Amino acid sequence: MHGYRGQVLRVNLTTGQIKKETLDLQTAQKFIGGRGLGSYLLSKEIQPTVDALSPENKIFIVTGPLTGSPAPTPGRYMVVTKSPLTGTIACSNSGGFWGPELKNAGYDLIVLEGRAPKPMYLFIKDETVELRDATKYWGKLVSETTTQLLADVREPQARVLCIGPAGEKQSLIAAVMNDKCRAAGRSGVGGVMGSKNLKAIVVRGTGKVALAAPEKTKELLAILARKIKDNGVTGQGLPTYGTAVLVNIINEAGMYPTRNFQQSYFPTANKASGEALADEYLTKRVACFRCPIACGRECEVGEEKGEGPEYETLWAYSANCGVDKLDDVIRANNLCNEYGLDTISAGATIACAMELAEKGYIKPSEVNGPALKFGSSEAIIEWTRKMGAGEGLGAKLAQGSYRLAASYGVPELSMSVKKQELPAYDPRGAKGMALQYATSNRGGCHVRGYLISPEVLGLPEKIDRFATAGKATWAKAFQDLTAVIDSLGLCLFTSFALNADDYRDLLNAIVGVNWTKEEMFTAGERIWNLERVFNLAAGIKPEEDTLPKRLLHDPITEGGSKGHVAQLAEMLPAYYQERGWTPQGIPTKEKLAALAL
Amino acid sequence: MDVEVRLFATLRRGRFDRRPQPVADGCRLEELIRQLAIDPKEIAIRLVNGREAEIDHVLQPGDVVSLFPAVGGG
């Protein structure tokens, strides 16, 4: 078998039974792998209406056929489950080294079912697979868990995926962490793992991914390596400054959400930017498995050494909380990694709490810690810790901003879509991004169709960020191609340099299929529709394809996007039409049949 | 007249972060870039007062010009 390894590991945590199943190659290819295959299996195996934190929910940890292969950036794996935060399908994607190690051990995916009677971890070394007691690791932070597990299993080259205390406490914004600092961050997938009493998965693999056409792959890799190196973003911007290089451009364009999206320009953004990070804190660039870009940052602040912060994290804790002290943003990021929290949702929830306190909804008497005030470094650090540890009001924050704001009767102060916090781009300044946020199948998210690329960065071509016409077509194309890239097991950042033909060529050479570009896009569209159908069956209404009222009705007051609101109503009908759905946003029978669903 | 120039990422190397820049009345953006001795090929994004601007854009007193190389992330 080429690309895929051919084995599925099914673990029933309730009974302790471990089964090895043969991968159904035809199904795998139909959905490519990764996100697509995981979404198909989740749809097939669980009732979409199940309680996400109940034993009836399942977790699919899935690699793509290119994960672990020699393709550029093949470090990705995905955690697919029903989200306890949004109630939608969740697919959280992470890099590092864990995914390729699972492939090397011989498995394309792991299915986790039921709930263990006590804390357990899964140990995998090639054909050896064991469920082991994890009582001694329960309650431990991510780096300590990782270090201890590696020592205890006596496999120094093994890779560790685990949850931190936030996941154990079933926080709805908990992440699944791997290789200490990489995160399958979004949608509360760490909380689902915690609900199953599974602390970690340690994997060591000594095999490798076979290639269908080794010579052709080699030729192709040389061409693609050159493209990645010659591209300004992947060859220079990301390696030099990391993702945080975006701080200044997004701020200068007047779409850098500030103080819970109350403003969109942060005057002191430059003090906490990618340039400042590189000048003052960067100790080493970090690359995921076989990645030529190396956008990861190893940073030092005082005694602390950690990875990050990424752009989204930096924004969530700086501008969005009104803090410009980069030291403290780095410390908050490190805490998220240690407790296993989604940095976007964690920072955005603190920002929401700050607005709730500012407007008098949260009373000082409730605040068992530093005052929740915009600009407070002490608040971002201590409330992150309290969220991670589930202490007092921190436990309420750990359920995310929507439930927090709703508990005070003002859910509209949560800057979220489908209850998931929006990331670091004010969609009033990029109209296509507004449409993409509203229609993302996992709620508020930037990596389901990154229209910032054409609307602001000019890649692959510059389009007018304030126009609404044509954005439905852009949104669909980006969403479908992203579903393909995720499912292949590659990093989305390759798409700054590579095009759809390049991905098709890689797939054909490594897996040994003979797909056209159109067939590949159809697979992406199939995955998108499958996710939509799951969400509708889970009870998510098309009316939830919307944005917070503030973004729809309140124009931006200053800066490069002044005067703009998100004109969703102008774009949504065109989007549903572009997708071949009913005007109400429901995929038609004909569309689903055409996609072989 | 003066405009404010802001440089970012690799454009800052050997230059500056931000400074006021005297320019002639009616100065176009491309003339300013030439005056700064920046190779136009190095610049991927040009904003004037936060809005995307073409190279023949005529500058006004007090305009804020922000110049970026190719950047991306997310």
mmCIF file of all heavy atoms in Angstrom, chain A residues 124-148:
data_model
loop_
_atom_site.group_PDB
_atom_site.id
_atom_site.type_symbol
_atom_site.label_atom_id
_atom_site.label_comp_id
_atom_site.label_asym_id
_atom_site.label_seq_id
_atom_site.Cartn_x
_atom_site.Cartn_y
_atom_site.Cartn_z
ATOM 1 N N ILE A 124 2.046 2.600 22.087
ATOM 2 C CA ILE A 124 2.147 1.932 20.783
ATOM 3 C C ILE A 124 3.611 1.859 20.387
ATOM 4 O O ILE A 124 4.291 2.887 20.333
ATOM 5 C CB ILE A 124 1.402 2.721 19.676
ATOM 6 C CG1 ILE A 124 -0.068 2.945 20.056
ATOM 7 C CG2 ILE A 124 1.513 2.009 18.328
ATOM 8 C CD1 ILE A 124 -0.775 3.960 19.149
ATOM 9 N N LYS A 125 4.101 0.643 20.162
ATOM 10 C CA LYS A 125 5.398 0.525 19.494
ATOM 11 C C LYS A 125 5.227 -0.498 18.377
ATOM 12 O O LYS A 125 5.141 -1.707 18.644
ATOM 13 C CB LYS A 125 6.511 0.107 20.444
ATOM 14 C CG LYS A 125 7.860 0.151 19.723
ATOM 15 C CD LYS A 125 9.043 -0.313 20.495
ATOM 16 C CE LYS A 125 10.272 -0.197 19.596
ATOM 17 N NZ LYS A 125 11.448 -0.788 20.211
ATOM 18 N N ASP A 126 5.134 0.003 17.187
ATOM 19 C CA ASP A 126 4.863 -0.841 16.026
ATOM 20 C C ASP A 126 3.657 -1.741 16.316
ATOM 21 O O ASP A 126 2.592 -1.241 16.584
ATOM 22 C CB ASP A 126 6.120 -1.611 15.620
ATOM 23 C CG ASP A 126 7.247 -0.666 15.160
ATOM 24 O OD1 ASP A 126 6.937 0.344 14.514
ATOM 25 O OD2 ASP A 126 8.420 -0.935 15.466
ATOM 26 N N GLU A 127 3.847 -3.053 16.334
ATOM 27 C CA GLU A 127 2.717 -3.968 16.513
ATOM 28 C C GLU A 127 2.261 -4.080 17.975
ATOM 29 O O GLU A 127 1.168 -4.557 18.255
ATOM 30 C CB GLU A 127 3.081 -5.364 15.982
ATOM 31 C CG GLU A 127 3.082 -5.448 14.455
ATOM 32 C CD GLU A 127 1.729 -5.088 13.829
ATOM 33 O OE1 GLU A 127 0.713 -5.692 14.229
ATOM 34 O OE2 GLU A 127 1.682 -4.192 12.962
ATOM 35 N N THR A 128 3.098 -3.647 18.917
ATOM 36 C CA THR A 128 2.719 -3.722 20.341
ATOM 37 C C THR A 128 1.817 -2.544 20.691
ATOM 38 O O THR A 128 2.198 -1.390 20.499
ATOM 39 C CB THR A 128 3.993 -3.648 21.226
ATOM 40 O OG1 THR A 128 4.866 -4.705 20.827
ATOM 41 C CG2 THR A 128 3.655 -3.777 22.702
ATOM 42 N N VAL A 129 0.633 -2.862 21.197
ATOM 43 C CA VAL A 129 -0.299 -1.796 21.590
ATOM 44 C C VAL A 129 -0.887 -2.160 22.950
ATOM 45 O O VAL A 129 -1.445 -3.240 23.119
ATOM 46 C CB VAL A 129 -1.439 -1.639 20.564
ATOM 47 C CG1 VAL A 129 -2.341 -0.460 20.949
ATOM 48 C CG2 VAL A 129 -0.899 -1.440 19.150
ATOM 49 N N GLU A 130 -0.736 -1.269 23.924
ATOM 50 C CA GLU A 130 -1.216 -1.573 25.280
ATOM 51 C C GLU A 130 -1.888 -0.351 25.902
ATOM 52 O O GLU A 130 -1.409 0.775 25.748
ATOM 53 C CB GLU A 130 -0.027 -1.961 26.175
ATOM 54 C CG GLU A 130 0.639 -3.264 25.796
ATOM 55 C CD GLU A 130 1.978 -3.464 26.534
ATOM 56 O OE1 GLU A 130 2.333 -2.631 27.399
ATOM 57 O OE2 GLU A 130 2.656 -4.453 26.217
ATOM 58 N N LEU A 131 -2.961 -0.617 26.650
ATOM 59 C CA LEU A 131 -3.560 0.421 27.487
ATOM 60 C C LEU A 131 -2.925 0.295 28.867
ATOM 61 O O LEU A 131 -2.888 -0.796 29.434
ATOM 62 C CB LEU A 131 -5.065 0.206 27.604
ATOM 63 C CG LEU A 131 -5.959 0.946 26.621
ATOM 64 C CD1 LEU A 131 -7.395 0.497 26.798
ATOM 65 C CD2 LEU A 131 -5.855 2.460 26.749
ATOM 66 N N ARG A 132 -2.438 1.409 29.388
ATOM 67 C CA ARG A 132 -1.728 1.343 30.673
ATOM 68 C C ARG A 132 -2.294 2.377 31.644
ATOM 69 O O ARG A 132 -2.840 3.406 31.232
ATOM 70 C CB ARG A 132 -0.233 1.617 30.466
ATOM 71 C CG ARG A 132 0.459 0.567 29.606
ATOM 72 C CD ARG A 132 1.926 0.972 29.404
ATOM 73 N NE ARG A 132 2.662 -0.030 28.646
ATOM 74 C CZ ARG A 132 3.924 0.126 28.250
ATOM 75 N NH1 ARG A 132 4.571 1.260 28.533
ATOM 76 N NH2 ARG A 132 4.545 -0.813 27.569
ATOM 77 N N ASP A 133 -2.083 2.102 32.923
ATOM 78 C CA ASP A 133 -2.563 2.992 33.990
ATOM 79 C C ASP A 133 -1.871 4.366 33.887
ATOM 80 O O ASP A 133 -0.646 4.433 33.776
ATOM 81 C CB ASP A 133 -2.239 2.333 35.336
ATOM 82 C CG ASP A 133 -2.823 3.123 36.501
ATOM 83 O OD1 ASP A 133 -3.509 4.134 36.265
ATOM 84 O OD2 ASP A 133 -2.584 2.716 37.653
ATOM 85 N N ALA A 134 -2.658 5.428 33.953
ATOM 86 C CA ALA A 134 -2.069 6.779 33.882
ATOM 87 C C ALA A 134 -2.347 7.577 35.149
ATOM 88 O O ALA A 134 -2.221 8.809 35.140
ATOM 89 C CB ALA A 134 -2.611 7.513 32.668
ATOM 90 N N THR A 135 -2.706 6.888 36.220
ATOM 91 C CA THR A 135 -3.061 7.600 37.453
ATOM 92 C C THR A 135 -1.952 8.563 37.883
ATOM 93 O O THR A 135 -2.217 9.696 38.273
ATOM 94 C CB THR A 135 -3.352 6.594 38.580
ATOM 95 O OG1 THR A 135 -4.279 5.630 38.076
ATOM 96 C CG2 THR A 135 -3.939 7.277 39.804
ATOM 97 N N LYS A 136 -0.704 8.118 37.755
ATOM 98 C CA LYS A 136 0.399 8.960 38.247
ATOM 99 C C LYS A 136 0.649 10.206 37.399
ATOM 100 O O LYS A 136 1.305 11.144 37.830
ATOM 101 C CB LYS A 136 1.694 8.150 38.406
ATOM 102 C CG LYS A 136 2.315 7.685 37.104
ATOM 103 C CD LYS A 136 3.568 6.855 37.338
ATOM 104 C CE LYS A 136 4.828 7.686 37.297
ATOM 105 N NZ LYS A 136 6.036 6.882 36.998
ATOM 106 N N TYR A 137 0.104 10.210 36.174
ATOM 107 C CA TYR A 137 0.299 11.386 35.319
ATOM 108 C C TYR A 137 -0.882 12.351 35.380
ATOM 109 O O TYR A 137 -0.806 13.474 34.901
ATOM 110 C CB TYR A 137 0.507 10.966 33.856
ATOM 111 C CG TYR A 137 1.568 9.903 33.697
ATOM 112 C CD1 TYR A 137 1.215 8.572 33.453
ATOM 113 C CD2 TYR A 137 2.915 10.215 33.829
ATOM 114 C CE1 TYR A 137 2.177 7.579 33.322
ATOM 115 C CE2 TYR A 137 3.887 9.231 33.709
ATOM 116 C CZ TYR A 137 3.508 7.926 33.454
ATOM 117 O OH TYR A 137 4.459 6.951 33.346
ATOM 118 N N TRP A 138 -2.007 11.871 35.904
ATOM 119 C CA TRP A 138 -3.242 12.684 35.947
ATOM 120 C C TRP A 138 -2.997 13.919 36.825
ATOM 121 O O TRP A 138 -2.430 13.809 37.907
ATOM 122 C CB TRP A 138 -4.383 11.833 36.506
ATOM 123 C CG TRP A 138 -5.762 12.305 36.100
ATOM 124 C CD1 TRP A 138 -6.668 12.896 36.905
ATOM 125 C CD2 TRP A 138 -6.382 12.172 34.817
ATOM 126 N NE1 TRP A 138 -7.828 13.155 36.202
ATOM 127 C CE2 TRP A 138 -7.680 12.722 34.911
ATOM 128 C CE3 TRP A 138 -5.971 11.660 33.576
ATOM 129 C CZ2 TRP A 138 -8.574 12.770 33.832
ATOM 130 C CZ3 TRP A 138 -6.858 11.698 32.504
ATOM 131 C CH2 TRP A 138 -8.140 12.250 32.641
ATOM 132 N N GLY A 139 -3.371 15.060 36.341
ATOM 133 C CA GLY A 139 -3.136 16.303 37.086
ATOM 134 C C GLY A 139 -1.831 16.979 36.718
ATOM 135 O O GLY A 139 -1.587 18.124 37.100
ATOM 136 N N LYS A 140 -0.994 16.281 35.975
ATOM 137 C CA LYS A 140 0.315 16.857 35.630
ATOM 138 C C LYS A 140 0.209 17.774 34.397
ATOM 139 O O LYS A 140 -0.610 17.559 33.504
ATOM 140 C CB LYS A 140 1.314 15.740 35.308
ATOM 141 C CG LYS A 140 1.608 14.808 36.488
ATOM 142 C CD LYS A 140 2.851 15.258 37.215
ATOM 143 C CE LYS A 140 3.347 14.229 38.223
ATOM 144 N NZ LYS A 140 2.524 14.161 39.448
ATOM 145 N N LEU A 141 1.093 18.767 34.372
ATOM 146 C CA LEU A 141 1.160 19.677 33.228
ATOM 147 C C LEU A 141 1.728 18.929 32.010
ATOM 148 O O LEU A 141 2.299 17.840 32.144
ATOM 149 C CB LEU A 141 2.034 20.887 33.567
ATOM 150 C CG LEU A 141 1.546 21.750 34.743
ATOM 151 C CD1 LEU A 141 2.541 22.866 35.033
ATOM 152 C CD2 LEU A 141 0.162 22.329 34.485
ATOM 153 N N VAL A 142 1.597 19.557 30.847
ATOM 154 C CA VAL A 142 1.940 18.865 29.602
ATOM 155 C C VAL A 142 3.432 18.518 29.498
ATOM 156 O O VAL A 142 3.791 17.401 29.132
ATOM 157 C CB VAL A 142 1.484 19.712 28.383
ATOM 158 C CG1 VAL A 142 2.088 19.203 27.083
ATOM 159 C CG2 VAL A 142 -0.048 19.702 28.292
ATOM 160 N N SER A 143 4.308 19.461 29.848
ATOM 161 C CA SER A 143 5.738 19.153 29.672
ATOM 162 C C SER A 143 6.192 18.070 30.649
ATOM 163 O O SER A 143 6.956 17.170 30.291
ATOM 164 C CB SER A 143 6.591 20.409 29.810
ATOM 165 O OG SER A 143 6.464 20.957 31.089
ATOM 166 N N GLU A 144 5.673 18.121 31.873
ATOM 167 C CA GLU A 144 6.059 17.112 32.869
ATOM 168 C C GLU A 144 5.510 15.734 32.477
ATOM 169 O O GLU A 144 6.211 14.713 32.584
ATOM 170 C CB GLU A 144 5.538 17.527 34.247
ATOM 171 C CG GLU A 144 6.134 16.698 35.368
ATOM 172 C CD GLU A 144 5.555 17.052 36.734
ATOM 173 O OE1 GLU A 144 4.813 18.047 36.848
ATOM 174 O OE2 GLU A 144 5.847 16.302 37.683
ATOM 175 N N THR A 145 4.268 15.710 32.013
ATOM 176 C CA THR A 145 3.670 14.449 31.561
ATOM 177 C C THR A 145 4.531 13.841 30.456
ATOM 178 O O THR A 145 4.848 12.647 30.468
ATOM 179 C CB THR A 145 2.245 14.713 31.003
ATOM 180 O OG1 THR A 145 1.461 15.301 32.030
ATOM 181 C CG2 THR A 145 1.586 13.438 30.518
ATOM 182 N N THR A 146 4.902 14.682 29.505
ATOM 183 C CA THR A 146 5.669 14.211 28.349
ATOM 184 C C THR A 146 7.031 13.665 28.788
ATOM 185 O O THR A 146 7.431 12.557 28.404
ATOM 186 C CB THR A 146 5.863 15.376 27.346
ATOM 187 O OG1 THR A 146 4.569 15.887 27.010
ATOM 188 C CG2 THR A 146 6.572 14.928 26.094
ATOM 189 N N THR A 147 7.737 14.432 29.600
ATOM 190 C CA THR A 147 9.073 14.021 30.046
ATOM 191 C C THR A 147 9.001 12.718 30.848
ATOM 192 O O THR A 147 9.791 11.791 30.626
ATOM 193 C CB THR A 147 9.703 15.141 30.911
ATOM 194 O OG1 THR A 147 9.638 16.346 30.156
ATOM 195 C CG2 THR A 147 11.140 14.844 31.255
ATOM 196 N N GLN A 148 8.044 12.646 31.781
ATOM 197 C CA GLN A 148 7.937 11.441 32.626
ATOM 198 C C GLN A 148 7.565 10.213 31.814
ATOM 199 O O GLN A 148 8.121 9.133 32.019
ATOM 200 C CB GLN A 148 6.872 11.664 33.701
ATOM 201 C CG GLN A 148 7.414 12.371 34.917
ATOM 202 C CD GLN A 148 6.526 12.128 36.143
ATOM 203 O OE1 GLN A 148 5.629 11.294 36.127
ATOM 204 N NE2 GLN A 148 6.779 12.876 37.191
#
